[in-house]
Amino acid sequence: MSRAVLSAGSNVGDSLGHLRSVVESFADELVAVSAVYATPPWGGVEQDDFLNITLIVDGPLSARQWLDRGAGLEQAADRTREVRWGPRTLDVDVISVSDAGRVVVDDDPVLTLPHPRAAERAFVLIPWLEIEPEATLWTPDGERSVRELIDALDPDERDAVRAVDRLTDGPVGGGTS
């Protein structure tokens, strides 16, 4: 059994519908899902704001299988990869995976774990903290609390991440969303 933290975002087409498809696809493994957050684009490409969610899932899948499930959802949403960090119908990232209680650390170029830029991204950390207040992330400097990582971000970046909607009616699994 493994537990994964996934981040999903969309800024093209029916963004709420795309995010809803992620929650529905992982319904059997879903532990918690955050509110929907509107966030400015990251990476310097001019585009519309994103809608983002973070999910915690638990099941008999490997880290690569979580990635493959997300990639299948991206493909079903007609995602194209024309510009790095550009607009997209759906992006599903595997942020962190623990297997048998141990954090998976891997530098595979297809799936680097934990996600190498997660500690820098308010749009990942803030929704994650909402559903797992005691969350930690392994970084090259060791394990750090998600709350500490958020506090270290630029205040303008933190303030730009704002809850705008919910995909569920109340708590999902053990989460607070």
Side-chain angles (χ1 to χ4, degrees), residues 1 8-9 23 26 35 67 88 93 123 147 150 156-157 173:
M1 291 294 273
V23 173
F26 287 105
L67 178 68
R88 59 207 99 161
D93 287 332
F123 68 85
R147 182 172 306 281
I150 292 169
D156 290 338
E157 184 175 344

Side-chain angles (χ1 to χ4, degrees), residues 7-10 19 34-40 50-54 123-124 127:
S7 177
S10 172
L19 296 179
S34 72
V36 177
Y37 288 79
T39 65
F50 277 83
L51 294 182
N52 291 92
I53 58 173
T54 296
F123 68 85
V124 170

Side-chain angles (χ1 to χ4, degrees), residues 27-50:
D28 290 343
E29 298 91 9
L30 194 61
V31 174
V33 60
S34 72
V36 177
Y37 288 79
T39 65
W42 198 90
V45 176
E46 285 293 321
Q47 59 190 304
D48 291 336
D49 284 357
F50 277 83

